[in-house]
Amino acid sequence: MSVSSERLWNRSFILCLFNNFFLFVYYFALLTILPIYIMKDLGGSVKEAGLALTLFLASSIAIRPFSGMIIEKFGKKISMRGAGVFFALFAFSYLLVDSMWSLLLVRFLHGIWFSILTTVTVPVANEFIPEHQKGEGMGYFVMSTNLGVVFGPLLALTVIQFTSFKVLFGILAVMISLGLIFCWMLKITELPKQNTISTEKIQFSLKDILEVKVLAVSFVALLTAFAYSGIMSFITAFSETKQLLAYTSVFFIVFAASMLLVRPWVGKIYDRKGPSAVIYPSFVFFAIGLLIISLISNQWILWLSAVFIGIGYGSLFPCLQTLAIQSVDKQRMGHAISTFFTLFDLGLAIGSVVMGILIAYWGFETTYVLSAALVILTIWVYRQYVAKKQSKCPANLEL
């Protein structure tokens, strides 16, 4: 076991948290500011701004199924440090961008290293979490991701009021470089490779890019991400139609605060009573939050929905991710995470498109009610294909 002590808050775990936090502050800061940068500094259109965001996501999703295989082949240490170096280099390359085409190329290549880096950070962080605190520890780790949703846009929009886009890109690149230093400070332990039947026979199979054991929980994550995509992509537009755009930033702050407040209890309940004790009520809170959004008439209802979604969705994602990790041996953890994130990312990507179509035909209110209905349906899917198997074959807690 690589944890230096049985304490959750050991030095290595804290370094993992900060590295992940900086990574997602960077990601969401760029996500927020790039469309403005493209239209103001590069003279691009709204369509080109959308293309820049889509290319990053497309390359990330495309490489995601192979990330587990890359981690297994090269090891966690080389994968994390190598992907970290290339991701940092591309972060600095935004300072050299002078045309739309060069930006699109950088975005596409940057997405590749983002995919590998975000996949390998999970098993690395898991290595430094005590066995009896996996749910609590991974909950805090995922919380560092969700905090990026709040602080990334906040940093980007604040800096850009006082200086140029290039200065912002420089600040973000330095932040990523600091995270890279943290990567090199970690004492990562490599696991012995699993024996293969034949070393002479080189054969590529589905097992190299997919972990079958986590398909069910990953599909639940896909449906959850699909429902959440309506919040991620359209809450700002919906708020604007209700003349509440000025209060939307507070929505994300309330979301983060709600998630933070319940985090200490959620992880402990998961570890003591099992995943379903957290997952079922979290689905209910998430569905209620989506229903409340459909009834928005003032900022107080908007913020109330953020409380329910922060508690619900904010608890669901780390629990589902932890459940995926606990379903496999350590050697297959990279494959499990890559499978989980591939389906989760697909849920976000497809969901954003479908939600946009539904909103165009039926409006925001009906679309959010349908999203709530999807969450309720997802409870049944979880019960039938994950929870029942869990009760028959308990999760592999001896990771």
Side-chain angles (χ1 to χ4, degrees):
M1 188 172 177
S2 299
V3 184
S4 57
S5 73
E6 284 300 312
R7 291 181 299 106
L8 173 60
W9 296 102
N10 58 78
R11 173 180 172 275
S12 295
F13 180 63
I14 293 170
L15 289 175
C16 287
L17 287 180
F18 275 107
N19 173 50
N20 197 58
F21 174 67
F22 289 155
L23 177 61
F24 281 95
V25 165
Y26 178 90
Y27 173 74
F28 286 108
L30 278 189
L31 199 66
T32 302
I33 213 70
L34 270 182
I36 305 171
Y37 167 67
I38 288 168
M39 289 184 282
K40 281 191 174 181
D41 276 28
L42 297 183
S45 64
V46 175
K47 286 184 179 179
E48 287 173 324
L51 180 60
L53 300 178
T54 303
L55 274 176
F56 186 94
L57 190 60
S59 61
S60 178
I61 292 175
I63 203 69
R64 184 78 76 182
F66 302 96
S67 298
M69 185 172 64
I70 292 168
I71 295 166
E72 184 180 53
K73 182 174 178 60
F74 295 101
K76 291 182 293 184
K77 185 186 294 184
I78 293 177
S79 298
M80 187 175 196
R81 292 177 178 178
V85 167
F86 279 104
F87 190 82
L89 288 174
F90 276 105
F92 279 102
S93 70
Y94 286 84
L95 296 169
L96 305 176
V97 165
D98 58 359
S99 68
M100 194 64 222
W101 288 110
S102 60
L103 177 65
L104 292 177
L105 177 62
V106 167
R107 289 295 289 170
F108 180 79
L109 295 174
H110 211 183
I112 294 173
W113 301 109
F114 177 78
S115 180
I116 299 171
L117 190 56
T118 51
T119 300
V120 73
T121 52
V122 178
V124 168
N126 184 75
E127 181 180 334
F128 302 109
I129 301 172
E131 301 297 340
H132 62 284
Q133 291 179 288
K134 292 297 184 187
E136 186 179 0
M138 288 311 302
Y140 283 115
F141 182 77
V142 174
M143 187 181 69
S144 68
T145 299
N146 291 335
L147 287 176
V149 177
V150 177
F151 290 102
L154 187 63
L155 173 66
L157 294 171
T158 301
V159 171
I160 210 63
Q161 288 180 30
F162 302 100
T163 185
S164 67
F165 288 102
K166 294 293 184 183
V167 172
L168 173 63
F169 293 152
I171 292 171
L172 292 174
V174 170
M175 182 182 295
I176 284 298
S177 300
L178 187 58
L180 177 62
I181 293 171
F182 293 160
C183 288
W184 285 82
M185 291 171 66
L186 294 171
K187 294 181 180 179
I188 302 170
T189 305
E190 298 294 356
L191 296 168
K193 292 187 178 180
Q194 292 178 311
N195 294 326
T196 54
I197 296 172
S198 173
T199 54
E200 297 177 2
K201 189 177 180 181
I202 301 174
Q203 189 174 5
F204 183 78
S205 68
L206 195 61
K207 187 181 176 183
D208 292 321
I209 61 171
L210 202 65
E211 179 48 67
V212 178
K213 290 181 181 178
V214 302
L215 279 179
V217 69
S218 298
F219 183 67
V220 170
L222 181 150
L223 294 176
T224 305
F226 193 100
Y228 180 70
S229 66
I231 302 296
M232 183 187 75
S233 302
F234 300 108
I235 188 62
T236 303
F238 186 36
S239 299
E240 190 172 22
T241 65
K242 298 290 184 178
Q243 285 78 51
L244 297 172
L245 186 59
Y247 304 102
T248 309
S249 59
V250 181
F251 171 91
F252 289 104
I253 294 173
V254 174
F255 176 104
S258 303
M259 179 182 59
L260 282 168
L261 283 173
V262 300
R263 173 51 42 207
W265 294 282
V266 167
K268 289 176 182 177
I269 293 171
Y270 181 103
D271 290 322
R272 291 172 185 172
K273 297 186 177 181
S276 293
V278 176
I279 289 174
Y280 283 129
S282 296
F283 272 127
V284 173
F285 270 88
F286 187 23
I288 292 172
L290 290 169
L291 285 174
I292 292 173
I293 280 186
S294 70
L295 303 172
I296 285 178
S297 59
N298 58 56
Q299 70 268 29
W300 298 106
I301 297 177
L302 175 67
W303 296 340
L304 179 63
S305 70
V307 172
F308 279 88
I309 293 172
I311 294 172
Y313 176 80
S315 300
L316 274 172
F317 182 73
C319 288
L320 293 173
Q321 180 176 287
T322 306
L323 190 53
I325 291 172
Q326 292 179 320
S327 300
V328 297
D329 297 327
K330 276 190 173 181
Q331 286 85 352
R332 294 290 296 175
M333 201 179 293
H335 293 80
I337 291 301
S338 66
T339 301
F340 180 86
F341 274 121
T342 297
L343 269 68
F344 181 82
D345 290 345
L346 282 173
L348 286 178
I350 297 170
S352 296
V353 175
V354 174
M355 292 292 176
I357 294 171
L358 292 177
I359 288 168
Y361 280 96
W362 291 334
F364 288 101
E365 291 87 348
T366 303
T367 300
Y368 284 122
V369 171
L370 290 173
S371 296
L374 174 62
V375 172
I376 299 301
L377 174 64
T378 307
I379 296 176
W380 178 84
V381 175
Y382 170 78
R383 181 177 180 275
Q384 290 295 117
Y385 299 101
V386 181
K388 283 187 176 180
K389 286 185 178 180
Q390 197 75 11
S391 60
K392 292 177 182 177
C393 182
N396 178 21
L397 297 176
E398 297 300 324
L399 295 175

